[in-house]
Amino acid sequence: MSLSVPPAAPAAQADVIDVDALLDHKPPADAGSDFEEHGRKRSLQGFSAHVLMLCALLFSIYQLVIAADLVSLSSLPIRSLHVGFLSLLTFILYPAFKQGSLSTVAWYDWILGFGGFAIGFYHLIFEASVIQNSGDPTQFELVIGTAMVVLIFEGTRRVMGWALPIVSGLFLAYGLLGQYLPGDFAHRGYEYSAIVNQLYLGTDGIYGLPTLVSATYIFLFILFGSFLEHAGMIRLFNAIALGFVGHAKGGPAKVAVLSSGFMGMISGSGVANVLTVGQFTIPLMKRFGYNAVFAGAVEATASMGGQIMPPVMGAVAFIMAETLNLPYSEIVKAAIIPALLYYFTAFTMVHLEAGRAKLLGLPKAQCPNPWQHIRENWHLMVPLAVLVFMLFHGFTPKFAGMMGLCMTAMLILGAALAARISFKAFRYVLWLGIGLGASTFMKWGIQPVLAVIALMVLACLFIQGGRKTLRTLLAGLTDGAKQAVPVGLACAIVGVIIGVLSLTGAATNFAGLVLKIGESSIFLSLILTMLVCLVLGMGIPTIPNYIITSAIAAPALLKLGVPLLVSHMFVFYFGIMADLTPPVALAAFAAASIAKASPMKIGVKATQIAVAGFVIPFMAVYDNALMLQGHWTYVGVAYVVFKCLLAIVLWGGLVVGHLFMDLGVAKRVGCGLTATMLVSAFPLTDEIGFAMSAAMGVWVWMSFRKTPTQATA
């Protein structure tokens, strides 16, 4: 369990750091990553590149038109067109095989891409016929329905590998052949037409609720993150993290934790955070004394927390809100305390490891002034602040995301226009006008705001540097569309699983098992649910993992007395932790490609660092106040948070072996036992835990007093 790191060489810590490169996440010359989260992407040139850019741009425009309610479409055509665009981009971007050409698009991929795109129009053109023939599909519908399901499977294989298509294929096989299974596992049997009708023509299959959420909320927030990144928000976040903690003990690792947390606030993608933030922070940590395994583990742990960090959490949070029919703000409220505790855990582990290995920070003179960066770039925080305000004041996530996106676009365009105005007073007038234009949404909705943006775009066409700004917006739109492909495909293919489960009722079998175990011990039911999440997470992303386990386990936990939102959050958290847990840990593999270390070792270390991610969900089940659920009070919340903070520090003593001083085996075991006592929500275990904590504190302090040289640690 010891996190062994050799002491840093003082000479290495005296080197001059390229702060500008750090703020921009430009990797050093010797850094690199050969890890690809979502398959091998083509790098196109010429005609193919222009077609790809046009398709991605049209995809983003379509989603923005739908989000702004400029065109009125029924729910099913919105979903089918969304999947059609996903199919088109997938087959243009991703080759069929690893050996396939990355510079050209194969002729059959053009056919598959535009074929899937064309099928996406069927529900729009023949909507009335689809409704009339519900339950009795025509021969043509059987053909195109089969084709679309096959395209979704093949597209997912190209982007995400074999694991998710195989899992979904097993569920599909169960729907087709499950009547031949023995005992309670068998169902009554369904015709092929019934399966196709369920998966393609209704709203329980590939066009199910996850696809609806992808086509509305998720796409908007992906675009929002893409626009903020192009506006310079990431540089601001990095400056704040580097300025506040870069010079502290173990500063580089603390910068990685804070920077990854800030990045997660706007991206909600763990592995993408590793590949973005880690390009510089991992080599920086190695340079300042952390070994490669610990550096990669810190980055993997901090980045995965992005999916639970409000305000822009991972895609699962939006699916959860829609599934439970709750406001998104309720999901954020439930997630905020556990998310902060998660990052407190990572920060604590880093701090204790720095103390144990006597690791220093960056020279104070080389760290930027965070307050200066905030003063100069405070306006970049406005869209995020508006988004949070709207989410907590009754606006839908779709409208809030659209407004946040519009405000980011106005900031980018406004900065270009203001740069051409020499008189400060006129610049103030310009920003005042833009602000008044943005405020019109309160009375007339989003359309006047879009009109203001259109005028600003026209103005940028005729000023110096304006076209470069427009290219930045164009890059944000196209990049956002490409980033939406993996998420959208996961939402579509998991519809196969949902469709089969709802058609056959198979979810009740597992729920019955959980209930049977729960009769003797709810703790064992929670352990079983956790193991299912971790095992599924070895091969499939967080979205399908959450959807599957929430469908089969969350209702059972509800019957055992666990509040519905808490049970869904429990499943959500362990779906995220699966990306850190060996043997298949995507975040660890991504970090390993940069750290040049064993992904298995990084996964093990990340699991140790993120111990709170495993403990906090259990604590939330036993005391719902941790997620602000049930009849909570401020005193009750403060009490359980204090318990968590104390347990986290004690877990740190166990894992790292340092707490003011280097701890021996006996003290580390004592820390672990004490922290375990604090996990439960029973008065007796709390009293024992607090008593043991006091005893441990006295024991460590007395030992510390006897070895004064430890103070320098």
Side-chain angles (χ1 to χ4, degrees):
M1 293 284 286
S2 178
L3 302 177
S4 299
V5 179
Q13 300 198 28
D15 292 343
V16 176
I17 303 299
D18 187 349
V19 176
D20 284 334
L22 178 59
L23 295 182
D24 291 325
H25 280 161
K26 295 176 182 176
D30 58 348
S33 170
D34 53 8
F35 178 83
E36 292 172 326
E37 179 187 2
H38 296 125
R40 299 186 71 201
K41 271 186 184 179
R42 290 184 171 114
S43 181
L44 302 175
Q45 303 292 332
F47 174 76
S48 298
H50 287 95
V51 173
L52 172 61
M53 186 179 72
L54 177 62
C55 294
L57 182 61
L58 289 175
F59 190 13
S60 290
I61 291 174
Y62 161 72
Q63 295 293 166
L64 292 175
V65 167
I66 295 299
D69 293 323
L70 299 179
V71 174
S72 179
L73 291 179
S74 302
S75 177
L76 200 53
I78 290 175
R79 308 180 199 197
S80 65
L81 286 172
H82 178 75
V83 174
F85 272 112
L86 291 173
S87 176
L88 176 60
L89 290 184
T90 297
F91 290 104
I92 296 177
L93 269 174
Y94 297 90
F97 308 102
K98 290 184 178 180
Q99 298 78 16
S101 172
L102 298 180
S103 58
T104 59
V105 181
W107 61 269
Y108 51 82
D109 282 342
W110 289 115
I111 295 175
L112 293 175
F114 280 99
F117 183 59
I119 294 175
F121 281 87
Y122 183 80
H123 285 79
L124 176 65
I125 299 173
F126 300 102
E127 183 179 9
S129 175
V130 169
I131 295 173
Q132 291 172 357
N133 297 334
S134 178
D136 185 24
T138 65
Q139 194 67 30
F140 180 69
E141 288 173 341
L142 290 178
V143 172
I144 62 172
T146 302
M148 180 54 86
V149 172
V150 170
L151 288 174
I152 293 298
F153 269 84
E154 169 59 13
T156 306
R157 181 197 68 80
R158 294 189 182 195
V159 177
M160 299 182 181
W162 283 100
L164 183 53
I166 288 175
V167 172
S168 301
L170 290 174
F171 278 88
L172 180 57
Y174 176 74
L176 293 169
L177 306 171
Q179 64 269 30
Y180 301 112
L181 293 175
D184 294 337
F185 292 102
H187 57 68
R188 66 178 181 83
Y190 300 91
E191 294 183 357
Y192 182 75
S193 60
I195 299 292
V196 174
N197 181 78
Q198 180 81 352
L199 298 186
Y200 174 69
L201 293 175
T203 56
D204 286 324
I206 60 174
Y207 300 140
L209 182 64
T211 298
L212 175 63
V213 177
S214 174
T216 50
Y217 310 150
I218 296 175
F219 193 97
L220 277 182
F221 282 90
I222 289 175
L223 274 184
F224 178 65
S226 177
F227 270 46
L228 280 179
E229 182 176 348
H230 284 87
M233 177 64 94
I234 294 178
R235 181 181 175 88
L236 175 60
F237 283 160
N238 293 340
I240 294 173
L242 191 60
F244 281 124
V245 300
H247 55 85
K249 179 168 58 178
K254 292 177 179 178
V255 168
V257 173
L258 282 187
S259 186
S260 298
F262 286 143
M263 180 79 174
M265 288 173 61
I266 63 171
S267 75
S269 174
V271 179
N273 287 0
V274 175
L275 296 173
T276 303
V277 182
Q279 287 285 354
F280 201 99
T281 56
I282 291 176
L284 186 68
M285 282 187 275
K286 290 170 63 178
R287 183 177 181 180
F288 273 73
Y290 289 97
N291 70 9
V293 171
F294 190 81
V298 167
E299 185 55 56
T301 303
S303 291
M304 288 312 300
Q307 295 187 69
I308 59 174
M309 176 55 76
V312 183
M313 299 165 64
V316 170
F318 297 99
I319 297 174
M320 188 189 303
E322 199 71 19
T323 302
L324 300 179
N325 195 27
L326 289 174
Y328 180 73
S329 58
E330 286 297 311
I331 308 298
V332 169
K333 186 175 77 172
I336 184 65
I337 294 178
L340 293 175
L341 290 174
Y342 181 92
Y343 278 101
F344 176 78
T345 303
F347 206 85
T348 299
M349 297 295 182
V350 163
H351 181 78
L352 294 179
E353 178 60 28
R356 191 195 67 80
K358 301 177 180 63
L359 301 177
L360 305 180
L362 283 74
K364 177 76 172 178
Q366 293 188 33
C367 295
N369 184 338
W371 297 111
Q372 179 182 346
H373 279 268
I374 292 173
R375 284 194 301 270
E376 294 174 352
N377 301 283
W378 63 269
H379 57 280
L380 294 177
M381 297 182 180
V382 173
L384 205 57
V386 169
L387 177 69
V388 173
F389 174 83
M390 296 182 70
L391 287 175
F392 279 89
H393 285 79
F395 293 93
T396 66
K398 185 173 76 169
F399 189 77
M402 189 67 189
M403 269 308 303
L405 186 62
C406 288
M407 293 205 66
T408 309
M410 295 170 85
L411 283 174
I412 296 173
L413 294 168
L417 294 172
R420 306 273 71 83
I421 300 176
S422 56
F423 295 104
K424 181 179 291 188
F426 290 166
R427 287 201 295 270
Y428 285 144
V429 171
L430 171 67
W431 285 114
L432 178 61
I434 292 173
L436 291 174
S439 66
T440 57
F441 85 92
M442 297 293 292
K443 184 172 181 62
W444 294 293
I446 199 71
Q447 284 81 3
V449 180
L450 294 177
V452 173
I453 293 175
L455 291 174
M456 296 173 72
V457 168
L458 286 175
C460 282
L461 288 173
F462 302 101
I463 65 171
Q464 183 181 355
R467 294 179 184 270
K468 182 179 179 181
T469 301
L470 295 181
R471 283 194 291 271
T472 299
L473 287 181
L474 181 64
L477 290 171
T478 55
D479 288 348
K482 295 173 188 176
Q483 293 169 20
V485 168
V487 177
L489 284 176
C491 290
I493 197 170
V494 82
V496 174
I497 299 173
I498 295 174
V500 172
L501 288 176
S502 62
L503 184 65
T504 62
T508 57
N509 291 332
F510 183 83
L513 176 62
V514 173
L515 286 171
K516 187 175 181 180
I517 294 175
E519 290 175 358
S520 58
S521 171
I522 188 175
F523 179 74
L524 293 178
S525 294
L526 294 173
I527 290 291
L528 177 61
T529 305
M530 177 191 75
L531 292 176
V532 170
C533 293
L534 294 178
V535 171
L536 280 175
M538 290 180 184
I540 63 178
T542 308
I543 294 172
N545 188 349
Y546 161 76
I547 292 172
I548 296 169
T549 47
S550 65
I552 62 180
L557 294 178
L558 176 64
K559 291 184 179 180
L560 292 173
V562 182
L564 192 58
L565 180 54
V566 174
S567 65
H568 277 253
M569 293 296 289
F570 184 91
V571 169
F572 178 26
Y573 272 70
F574 283 110
I576 293 171
M577 298 310 295
D579 277 342
L580 292 176
T581 310
V584 182
L586 286 180
F589 275 86
S593 68
I594 303 172
K596 309 303 180 188
S598 166
M600 289 295 292
K601 291 181 179 179
I602 288 179
V604 172
K605 284 289 186 287
T607 303
Q608 295 173 1
I609 294 172
V611 64
F614 292 90
V615 175
I616 288 174
F618 284 91
M619 296 185 73
V621 169
Y622 286 113
D623 192 339
N624 304 155
L626 191 59
M627 291 186 178
L628 304 180
Q629 300 300 302
H631 302 290
W632 61 275
T633 63
Y634 288 106
V635 174
V637 171
Y639 174 75
V640 70
V641 168
F642 174 73
K643 273 206 320 174
C644 287
L645 295 176
L646 186 56
I648 288 168
V649 173
L650 290 166
W651 279 117
L654 169 67
V655 173
V656 180
H658 184 87
L659 205 61
F660 301 110
M661 59 176 289
D662 292 341
L663 303 181
V665 174
K667 290 186 178 67
R668 294 176 70 173
V669 172
C671 286
L673 292 175
T674 306
T676 302
M677 285 291 102
L678 294 171
V679 171
S680 300
F682 303 108
L684 179 60
T685 56
D686 283 359
E687 291 170 4
I688 294 174
F690 286 128
M692 292 178 66
S693 298
M696 282 299 305
V698 172
W699 187 13
V700 172
W701 178 249
M702 294 297 292
S703 300
F704 179 74
R705 293 278 303 265
K706 293 178 182 178
T707 54
T709 54
Q710 289 282 353
T712 59

